[in-house]
Amino acid sequence: MTTQITAAASGQFLLGGDRRVHRLGFGAMRLAAGGFTGPARDPQTGITVLRQAVEAGVDHIDTAGFYRRGDVAANELIRTALAPYPDELLIATKVGPLLVDGRPGGQAGPEQLRALVTEDLRTLGLDRFELVYLRVGGMSGPGGESVADRFAVLAALREEGLIRHLGVSNVDVVQLDEALGVAPIAAVQNQFHVHRGDDADVLARCVERGIAYVPFFPLGGGFDPIEHDRLASVAARHGATTSQVALAWLLATSPNMLAIPGTGSPAHLAENVAAAGLRLDPAELAELTAP
Ligand SMILES: NC(=O)c1ccc[n+]([C@@H]2O[C@H](COP(=O)([O-])OP(=O)(O)OC[C@H]3O[C@@H](n4cnc5c(N)ncnc54)[C@H](OP(=O)(O)O)[C@@H]3O)[C@@H](O)[C@H]2O)c1
């Protein structure tokens, strides 16, 4: 598959009922560092990847203020690479996790969230966000705690016009329903991929309510190996890579599914965008998730 295919081939979704984005976007977490340990990546390569993404039709970039390693910060790379931003580009951020000495260090309380959103606006050079998620819980999935007090802070920022649409991340269906009781939700960002399709109740609620479902770790995040014989065999039939098949599977799962694969590699970016044009037939889709 070649890079002549653009993100437009993935189709579109109307986020929050009024903001059109291509269903294949880009996750910025890998720009600053390849993993949770190890050195920072070369900032110039990150800038190249970002410009390449937008040139290839990506109009949805998922970032966060805590995507940084040492002096290399995703938000600053995004601003350097892309400002002044094209009108069609939607930049989404997440607030919640705190960094202490550059490492994940607990969760922001309600009183800290406003400053985190304001800081992300400043580093990105934006006047307002089109999408901000409240990211809750730890690294191992939703924690089940109440989200209402924290989500109400973001809802207030939305009322003030600093945020257009709200999202929640790393939630179970009870937390999603609790947040829906506070304010409308345009997107949910939970962990989900071809070998981890166990979020059916949240996905069903998103479909029912017209909410975008935006999986994190769509390629397994470098932890969950998504390689296996069936993935490889479907990939070989299409002359595609296993990553491309994993992304095509995601996009075929549901029309409200938005993919945001993360990479700091120009070659992987080209491969991921080209996956927007890959169509799997129903038998292949079933084959990939068969027990
Ligand atoms: N809400 C949350 O809690 C949360 C958590 C994690 C991530 N996120 C968001 O979700 C986005 C996606 O998740 P992610 O970046 O962590 O994981 P991912 O997209 O599942 O996988 C990224 C990993 O796969 C590699 N990769 C990317 N494209 C590839 C390709 N075509 N072939 C082979 N390897 C490839 C990357 O390495 P290279 O960089 O070397 O290509 C990186 O190691 C993030 O960027 C971030 O925006 C959100």
Side-chain angles (χ1 to χ4, degrees):
M1 299 180 70
T2 72
T3 50
Q4 279 133 24
I5 295 162
T6 70
S10 62
Q12 297 183 332
F13 183 79
L14 209 52
L15 197 91
D18 65 6
R19 182 56 165 89
R20 206 170 288 281
V21 287
H22 294 139
R23 295 180 61 221
L24 187 110
F26 174 77
M29 191 172 94
R30 306 289 168 163
L31 294 174
F36 291 106
T37 56
R41 282 181 145 172
D42 169 37
Q44 201 52 52
T45 307
I47 288 168
T48 300
V49 167
L50 284 160
R51 290 183 176 150
Q52 183 185 340
V54 169
E55 275 162 25
V58 166
D59 58 8
H60 169 200
I61 295 179
D62 181 80
T63 187
F66 47 89
Y67 292 165
R68 63 177 311 138
R69 180 70 41 84
D71 291 338
V72 184
N75 286 357
E76 280 153 30
L77 295 182
I78 291 168
R79 184 177 186 168
T80 303
L82 302 174
Y85 301 111
D87 288 346
E88 63 276 14
L89 180 65
L90 181 149
I91 300 175
T93 195
K94 296 174 287 297
V95 288
L98 295 173
L99 284 186
V100 177
D101 296 331
R103 307 198 146 271
Q107 291 288 317
E111 67 291 351
Q112 293 164 290
L113 291 170
R114 174 181 288 268
L116 291 172
V117 172
T118 308
E119 177 63 5
D120 283 359
L121 285 171
R122 188 189 69 74
T123 52
L124 286 159
L126 289 168
D127 295 330
R128 76 164 187 161
F129 274 114
E130 298 206 63
L131 176 61
V132 177
Y133 296 88
L134 176 69
R135 203 288 187 186
V136 299
M139 295 288 283
S140 56
E145 78 277 19
S146 172
V147 299
D149 289 353
R150 285 172 288 169
F151 197 62
V153 176
L154 297 192
L157 294 175
R158 175 174 167 272
E159 290 296 320
E160 290 170 32
L162 279 186
I163 302 174
R164 179 171 179 172
H165 290 303
L166 299 175
V168 284
S169 177
N170 202 35
V171 292
D172 61 31
V173 77
V174 174
Q175 292 172 310
L176 173 56
D177 284 343
E178 187 193 13
L180 278 165
V182 175
I185 290 178
V188 168
Q189 191 171 122
N190 274 6
Q191 188 173 356
F192 186 85
H193 56 70
V194 64
H195 296 328
R196 189 181 167 129
D198 56 355
D199 203 20
D201 49 356
V202 172
L203 181 53
R205 181 73 82 251
C206 288
V207 170
E208 184 190 307
R209 303 289 291 256
I211 297 170
Y213 187 94
V214 189
F216 72 81
F217 294 161
L219 297 172
F223 307 105
D224 257 347
I226 56 162
E227 301 291 331
H228 70 39
D229 290 350
R230 280 173 282 142
L231 207 49
S233 132
V234 173
R237 265 175 260 156
H238 287 272
T241 67
T242 51
S243 296
Q244 289 176 319
V245 172
L247 292 173
W249 176 86
L250 265 186
L251 291 170
T253 304
S254 180
N256 65 329
M257 185 74 67
L258 307 186
I260 50 161
T263 183
S265 148
H268 286 165
L269 189 273
E271 198 178 305
N272 296 345
V273 170
L278 178 59
R279 299 287 179 272
L280 306 176
D281 66 34
E284 289 172 326
L285 294 171
E287 181 183 342
L288 288 171
T289 48

